[in-house]
Coordinates of all heavy atoms in Angstrom, one line a residue:
H5 N -0.5 12.2 0.3 CA -1.1 13.1 1.3 C -1.0 14.5 0.7 O 0.1 15.0 0.4 CB -0.2 13.0 2.5 CG -0.7 13.9 3.7 ND1 0.0 14.0 4.8 CD2 -1.8 14.6 3.8 CE1 -0.6 14.9 5.6 NE2 -1.7 15.3 5.0
I6 N -2.2 15.1 0.5 CA -2.3 16.4 -0.1 C -2.6 17.4 1.1 O -3.6 17.3 1.8 CB -3.5 16.5 -1.1 CG1 -3.2 15.5 -2.2 CG2 -3.6 17.9 -1.6 CD1 -2.1 15.8 -3.2
N7 N -1.8 18.4 1.2 CA -2.1 19.5 2.2 C -2.5 20.8 1.3 O -1.8 21.1 0.3 CB -0.9 19.9 3.0 CG -0.8 19.0 4.3 OD1 -1.8 19.0 5.0 ND2 0.3 18.4 4.5
S8 N -3.5 21.5 1.8 CA -3.9 22.7 1.1 C -4.1 23.9 2.0 O -4.5 24.9 1.6 CB -5.2 22.4 0.3 OG -6.3 22.1 1.1
S9 N -3.9 23.7 3.3 CA -4.1 24.8 4.3 C -3.1 25.9 4.1 O -1.9 25.6 4.0 CB -4.0 24.2 5.7 OG -4.1 25.3 6.6
A10 N -3.5 27.1 4.1 CA -2.6 28.3 4.1 C -1.9 28.4 5.4 O -0.8 29.1 5.4 CB -3.5 29.5 3.8
Q11 N -2.4 27.8 6.4 CA -1.7 27.9 7.7 C -0.6 26.8 7.8 O -0.9 25.6 7.6 CB -2.7 27.6 8.9 CG -3.5 28.8 9.3 CD -4.2 28.5 10.6 OE1 -5.3 27.9 10.5 NE2 -3.7 29.0 11.7
M12 N 0.6 27.2 8.0 CA 1.7 26.3 8.1 C 1.8 25.7 9.5 O 2.2 24.6 9.7 CB 3.0 26.9 7.7 CG 3.1 27.4 6.2 SD 2.8 26.0 5.1 CE 1.9 26.9 3.8
L13 N 1.5 26.6 10.5 CA 1.6 26.2 11.9 C 0.2 26.2 12.5 O -0.7 27.0 12.0 CB 2.5 27.1 12.7 CG 3.9 27.2 12.2 CD1 4.6 28.4 13.0 CD2 4.6 25.9 12.4
N14 N -0.1 25.4 13.5 CA -1.4 25.4 14.1 C -2.5 25.1 13.2 O -3.6 25.7 13.3 CB -1.6 26.7 14.9 CG -0.5 26.9 15.9 OD1 -0.1 26.0 16.6 ND2 -0.1 28.2 16.0
S15 N -2.3 24.2 12.2 CA -3.3 23.9 11.3 C -3.9 22.5 11.6 O -3.2 21.5 11.7 CB -2.7 23.7 9.8 OG -3.6 23.0 9.0
N16 N -5.2 22.5 11.9 CA -5.9 21.2 12.2 C -5.7 20.2 11.1 O -5.5 19.0 11.4 CB -7.4 21.5 12.6 CG -7.6 22.2 13.9 OD1 -6.6 22.5 14.6 ND2 -8.8 22.4 14.2
T17 N -5.9 20.6 9.9 CA -5.9 19.6 8.8 C -4.5 19.1 8.6 O -4.3 17.9 8.3 CB -6.3 20.2 7.4 OG1 -5.5 21.3 7.1 CG2 -7.8 20.6 7.5
R18 N -3.5 19.9 8.8 CA -2.1 19.4 8.7 C -1.8 18.4 9.9 O -1.2 17.4 9.6 CB -1.1 20.6 8.8 CG -1.1 21.4 7.5 CD -0.1 22.6 7.5 NE -0.2 23.3 6.3 CZ 0.4 23.0 5.2 NH1 1.2 22.0 5.1 NH2 0.3 23.8 4.1
E19 N -2.1 18.8 11.1 CA -1.8 17.9 12.2 C -2.6 16.6 12.1 O -2.0 15.5 12.3 CB -2.2 18.6 13.5 CG -1.8 17.8 14.8 CD -2.0 18.5 16.1 OE1 -2.0 19.7 16.1 OE2 -2.1 17.8 17.1
I20 N -3.9 16.7 11.8 CA -4.7 15.4 11.7 C -4.3 14.6 10.5 O -4.2 13.4 10.6 CB -6.2 15.8 11.7 CG1 -6.6 16.5 13.0 CG2 -7.1 14.6 11.4 CD1 -7.9 17.2 13.0
G21 N -4.0 15.2 9.4 CA -3.6 14.5 8.2 C -2.3 13.8 8.5 O -2.1 12.6 8.0
Q22 N -1.3 14.4 9.2 CA -0.1 13.7 9.5 C -0.3 12.6 10.5 O 0.3 11.5 10.3 CB 0.9 14.7 10.1 CG 2.3 14.1 10.2 CD 2.9 13.6 8.9 OE1 3.0 14.4 7.9 NE2 3.3 12.4 8.9
Y23 N -1.2 12.8 11.4 CA -1.5 11.7 12.4 C -2.1 10.5 11.6 O -1.7 9.3 11.8 CB -2.6 12.2 13.4 CG -3.1 11.1 14.3 CD1 -2.3 10.7 15.4 CD2 -4.2 10.4 14.0 CE1 -2.8 9.7 16.3 CE2 -4.7 9.4 14.9 CZ -4.0 9.0 16.0 OH -4.4 8.0 16.8
L24 N -2.9 10.7 10.6 CA -3.5 9.7 9.8 C -2.4 9.0 8.9 O -2.4 7.8 8.8 CB -4.6 10.3 8.9 CG -5.3 9.4 7.9 CD1 -5.8 8.1 8.5 CD2 -6.3 10.2 7.1
A25 N -1.6 9.8 8.3 CA -0.5 9.2 7.5 C 0.4 8.3 8.3 O 0.8 7.2 7.9 CB 0.3 10.3 6.8
D26 N 0.7 8.7 9.5 CA 1.5 7.9 10.4 C 0.8 6.6 10.8 O 1.4 5.6 10.9 CB 1.9 8.7 11.7 CG 2.9 9.9 11.4 OD1 3.5 9.9 10.3 OD2 3.0 10.8 12.2
A27 N -0.5 6.8 11.1 CA -1.3 5.6 11.5 C -1.5 4.6 10.5 O -1.6 3.4 10.8 CB -2.7 6.1 12.0
L28 N -1.5 5.0 9.2 CA -1.6 4.0 8.1 C -0.4 3.2 7.9 O -0.5 2.1 7.2 CB -2.0 4.7 6.8 CG -3.4 5.3 6.8 CD1 -3.6 6.2 5.6 CD2 -4.5 4.3 6.9
K29 N 0.7 3.6 8.4 CA 2.0 2.9 8.3 C 2.3 2.4 6.9 O 2.6 1.2 6.6 CB 2.0 1.7 9.3 CG 1.9 2.1 10.7 CD 1.9 0.9 11.6 CE 2.1 1.4 13.0 NZ 1.1 1.5 13.9
A30 N 2.2 3.3 5.9 CA 2.5 2.9 4.5 C 3.4 4.0 4.0 O 3.5 5.1 4.5 CB 1.2 2.9 3.7
P31 N 4.2 3.7 2.9 CA 5.0 4.8 2.3 C 4.1 6.0 1.9 O 3.0 5.7 1.3 CB 5.6 4.1 1.1 CG 5.5 2.6 1.3 CD 4.3 2.4 2.2
V32 N 4.5 7.2 2.1 CA 3.7 8.4 1.9 C 4.5 9.3 0.9 O 5.6 9.6 1.1 CB 3.4 9.1 3.2 CG1 2.6 10.4 2.9 CG2 2.7 8.2 4.2
T33 N 3.7 9.8 -0.1 CA 4.2 10.9 -0.9 C 3.4 12.1 -0.5 O 2.2 12.1 -0.4 CB 3.8 10.6 -2.4 OG1 4.5 9.4 -2.8 CG2 4.2 11.8 -3.3
H34 N 4.1 13.2 -0.1 CA 3.5 14.4 0.4 C 3.5 15.4 -0.8 O 4.5 15.6 -1.5 CB 4.3 15.0 1.5 CG 4.3 14.1 2.8 ND1 3.2 14.2 3.7 CD2 5.1 13.2 3.2 CE1 3.4 13.3 4.6 NE2 4.6 12.7 4.4
R35 N 2.4 16.1 -0.9 CA 2.3 17.2 -1.9 C 1.6 18.4 -1.1 O 0.5 18.3 -0.7 CB 1.5 16.9 -3.1 CG 1.5 18.1 -4.1 CD 1.1 17.8 -5.5 NE 2.1 17.0 -6.2 CZ 3.2 17.5 -6.9 NH1 3.3 18.8 -6.9 NH2 4.0 16.8 -7.6
D36 N 2.4 19.4 -0.9 CA 1.9 20.6 -0.2 C 1.5 21.7 -1.2 O 2.4 22.4 -1.7 CB 2.9 21.1 0.9 CG 2.3 22.0 1.9 OD1 1.5 22.9 1.5 OD2 2.6 21.9 3.1
L37 N 0.3 21.9 -1.4 CA -0.2 22.8 -2.4 C -0.1 24.3 -2.0 O 0.0 25.1 -2.8 CB -1.6 22.5 -2.8 CG -1.8 21.1 -3.4 CD1 -3.3 20.8 -3.6 CD2 -1.1 20.9 -4.7
A38 N -0.1 24.5 -0.7 CA 0.1 25.9 -0.2 C 1.6 26.3 -0.2 O 1.9 27.4 -0.5 CB -0.5 26.0 1.2
L39 N 2.4 25.3 0.3 CA 3.8 25.6 0.3 C 4.5 25.7 -1.1 O 5.4 26.5 -1.3 CB 4.5 24.6 1.2 CG 6.0 24.8 1.6 CD1 6.1 26.1 2.4 CD2 6.5 23.6 2.5
N40 N 4.0 24.8 -1.9 CA 4.5 24.7 -3.3 C 3.3 24.7 -4.3 O 2.9 23.7 -4.8 CB 5.3 23.4 -3.5 CG 6.5 23.3 -2.6 OD1 7.4 24.1 -2.7 ND2 6.5 22.3 -1.7
P41 N 2.8 25.9 -4.5 CA 1.6 26.0 -5.4 C 1.9 25.6 -6.8 O 3.0 25.8 -7.3 CB 1.2 27.5 -5.3 CG 2.2 28.2 -4.5 CD 3.2 27.2 -4.0
L42 N 0.8 25.1 -7.4 CA 0.9 24.7 -8.8 C 0.9 26.0 -9.6 O 0.4 27.1 -9.2 CB -0.3 23.9 -9.2 CG -0.4 22.5 -8.5 CD1 -1.7 21.8 -8.8 CD2 0.8 21.6 -8.8
P43 N 1.5 26.0 -10.8 CA 1.5 27.3 -11.6 C 0.1 27.7 -12.1 O -0.7 26.9 -12.3 CB 2.4 26.9 -12.8 CG 2.3 25.4 -12.9 CD 2.1 24.9 -11.5
A44 N 0.0 29.0 -12.2 CA -1.3 29.5 -12.7 C -1.5 29.0 -14.1 O -0.5 28.8 -14.9 CB -1.2 31.1 -12.7
I45 N -2.8 28.8 -14.4 CA -3.1 28.3 -15.8 C -4.1 29.2 -16.4 O -5.1 29.6 -15.8 CB -3.6 26.8 -15.7 CG1 -3.8 26.2 -17.0 CG2 -4.8 26.7 -14.8 CD1 -4.0 24.7 -17.0
S46 N -3.9 29.6 -17.7 CA -4.8 30.4 -18.4 C -6.1 29.6 -18.7 O -6.1 28.4 -18.7 CB -4.2 30.9 -19.7 OG -4.1 29.9 -20.6
S47 N -7.2 30.3 -19.0 CA -8.4 29.6 -19.4 C -8.2 28.8 -20.6 O -8.7 27.7 -20.7 CB -9.6 30.6 -19.6 OG -9.2 31.6 -20.5
E48 N -7.4 29.3 -21.6 CA -7.1 28.6 -22.8 C -6.4 27.3 -22.5 O -6.7 26.2 -23.1 CB -6.3 29.5 -23.8 CG -6.0 28.8 -25.1 CD -5.1 29.8 -26.0 OE1 -4.3 30.5 -25.4 OE2 -5.4 29.8 -27.2
D49 N -5.4 27.3 -21.7 CA -4.6 26.1 -21.3 C -5.4 25.2 -20.5 O -5.3 23.9 -20.6 CB -3.3 26.5 -20.7 CG -2.3 27.0 -21.7 OD1 -2.4 26.8 -22.9 OD2 -1.3 27.6 -21.2
L50 N -6.3 25.7 -19.6 CA -7.1 24.8 -18.8 C -8.1 24.0 -19.7 O -8.2 22.8 -19.5 CB -8.0 25.6 -17.8 CG -8.9 24.8 -16.9 CD1 -8.2 23.8 -16.1 CD2 -9.7 25.7 -16.0
I51 N -8.7 24.7 -20.6 CA -9.5 23.9 -21.6 C -8.7 22.9 -22.4 O -9.1 21.8 -22.6 CB -10.3 24.9 -22.5 CG1 -11.3 25.7 -21.7 CG2 -10.9 24.2 -23.7 CD1 -11.8 26.9 -22.4

Side-chain angles (χ1 to χ4, degrees):
H5 183 187
I6 304 289
N7 272 310
S8 65
S9 176
Q11 280 190 278
M12 299 299 148
L13 301 172
N14 303 316
S15 164
N16 289 0
T17 59
R18 287 178 184 278
E19 183 173 340
I20 296 163
Q22 189 58 55
Y23 175 84
L24 176 55
D26 294 343
L28 291 173
K29 297 181 167 103
V32 180
T33 299
H34 293 276
R35 181 161 290 273
D36 194 320
L37 301 172
L39 193 58
N40 298 299
L42 299 172
I45 187 169
S46 69
S47 56
E48 181 182 39
D49 283 342
L50 177 60
I51 292 167

